[in-house]
Amino acid sequence: IERGQVDEMLVLMNKRKPEVFDVYRLTISDGTLDLVEENPGDVDSWTVDNQGRVRVAEAKVGTDTEIRTREGDSGPFKAVATYKDEESAGVHGFDENDEFLWVESSRGTNTSHLAKFDPKTGEEVEIIAQDKEYDFGAPIVSDKTHKLLGVVYVKDRRVYDITDPALKKDIAFLQSRHEGDVHILSTDADERKFIVAYNAPNDPGPTYLYDRDSGEMNFLYRPRPWLKPELLAPMTPITF
């Protein structure tokens, strides 16, 4: 759903052909579907810019991943980069200025990294985040400002590398309140309230509403209430 838009959203559907997914614009109030982008047959995923325009397509060509881009929301896509299967490429979205893409890959590195990618030239112009021992996990991007706030690595536990001071404080606070890895599932429009879930071996998934201003946390639910924490065993990661 494009920010500020309450009655329209982009959805993927294989309505036209069962084997491929096209992009449709859904009007929520009346259920109207309008075809936005037709899949040529090999596109696995689509990426929109911060204005909701479909500007990137990731396609499978054999075992390779081909990244195709365009300037606006119409016209043909141009193949700008091809990654081998072992380079594990994936697009995570546009930066705050809709100028560069955040692309994950392991091109030229032993572990996968997050790179600033030029959609015009297909070049990785700068490696933004990389761990020397573990693959890159995911970027943390503000839905409000579209700025990169930090990244996540999945090591023996979920590890945050936060560059935004306010979010860094929030993560530290949340980690102190409950055992397990912290997952921010969603936020409100102003990004002042978070839906937060914890993943612990003996308490998988308890979910809370967190108020960043007051520090208050209200319990919402457990997704698997039949799993009783007192009956589950704790686990500790090991390295060797």
Side-chain angles (χ1 to χ4, degrees):
I1 300 178
E2 185 181 349
R3 189 173 185 84
Q5 178 58 258
V6 297
D7 195 38
E8 290 185 349
M9 64 188 298
L10 293 177
V11 298
L12 296 177
M13 294 184 67
N14 59 345
K15 178 183 177 182
R16 182 181 58 88
K17 294 179 68 176
E19 63 271 24
V20 296
F21 284 81
D22 302 320
V23 184
Y24 289 84
R25 188 174 301 277
L26 169 66
T27 302
I28 300 171
S29 58
D30 62 14
T32 302
L33 280 171
D34 295 310
L35 182 63
V36 174
E37 199 64 44
E38 187 174 300
N39 195 322
D42 57 359
V43 173
D44 278 346
S45 65
W46 308 87
T47 300
V48 300
D49 65 11
N50 300 321
Q51 301 176 59
R53 302 177 299 178
V54 181
R55 291 183 52 199
V56 182
E58 290 178 67
K60 275 295 182 185
V61 180
T63 59
D64 295 343
T65 297
E66 187 174 84
I67 298 178
R68 303 167 183 169
T69 66
R70 65 184 179 189
E71 286 292 316
D73 59 357
S74 62
F77 287 87
K78 175 186 175 183
V80 295
T82 301
Y83 288 84
K84 297 296 183 184
D85 183 57
E86 60 269 20
E87 292 177 314
S88 305
V91 178
H92 287 283
F94 280 85
D95 70 355
E96 65 268 30
N97 299 314
D98 281 337
E99 184 179 0
F100 294 99
L101 288 167
W102 303 122
V103 168
E104 172 186 356
S105 86
S106 58
R107 173 169 289 177
T109 54
N110 185 51
T111 57
S112 62
H113 56 261
L114 182 68
K116 181 185 289 187
F117 179 96
D118 190 330
K120 296 179 180 178
T121 65
E123 297 294 325
E124 294 185 6
V125 297
E126 181 184 359
I127 293 179
I128 301 298
Q130 183 194 11
D131 186 275
K132 298 299 182 182
E133 296 182 355
Y134 292 86
D135 285 332
F136 175 77
I140 304 172
V141 179
S142 168
D143 186 52
K144 183 177 180 180
T145 66
H146 306 293
K147 291 183 178 180
L148 184 68
L149 305 179
V151 298
V152 176
Y153 299 99
V154 182
K155 302 187 179 183
D156 49 2
R157 295 283 298 273
R158 187 176 176 88
V159 176
Y160 285 93
D161 184 4
I162 306 297
T163 54
D164 178 75
L167 182 60
K168 189 172 186 177
K169 183 178 178 181
D170 289 320
I171 294 296
F173 173 77
L174 292 168
Q175 289 174 328
S176 73
R177 293 298 301 272
H178 197 288
E179 177 63 26
D181 293 342
V182 177
H183 296 259
I184 299 174
L185 303 182
S186 64
T187 75
D188 65 353
D190 292 327
E191 297 186 341
R192 303 312 305 165
K193 292 182 173 65
F194 293 170
I195 301 294
V196 179
Y198 291 88
N199 187 21
N202 57 347
D203 193 7
T207 303
Y208 295 80
L209 175 64
Y210 167 58
D211 188 315
R212 301 179 76 184
D213 297 317
S214 68
E216 185 177 357
M217 293 183 67
N218 292 313
F219 176 76
L220 297 176
Y221 62 90
R222 279 184 169 83
R224 296 176 288 276
W226 57 89
L227 295 177
K228 305 299 182 183
E230 62 271 17
L231 300 179
L232 299 177
M235 299 175 66
T236 302
I238 62 171
T239 58
F240 57 90

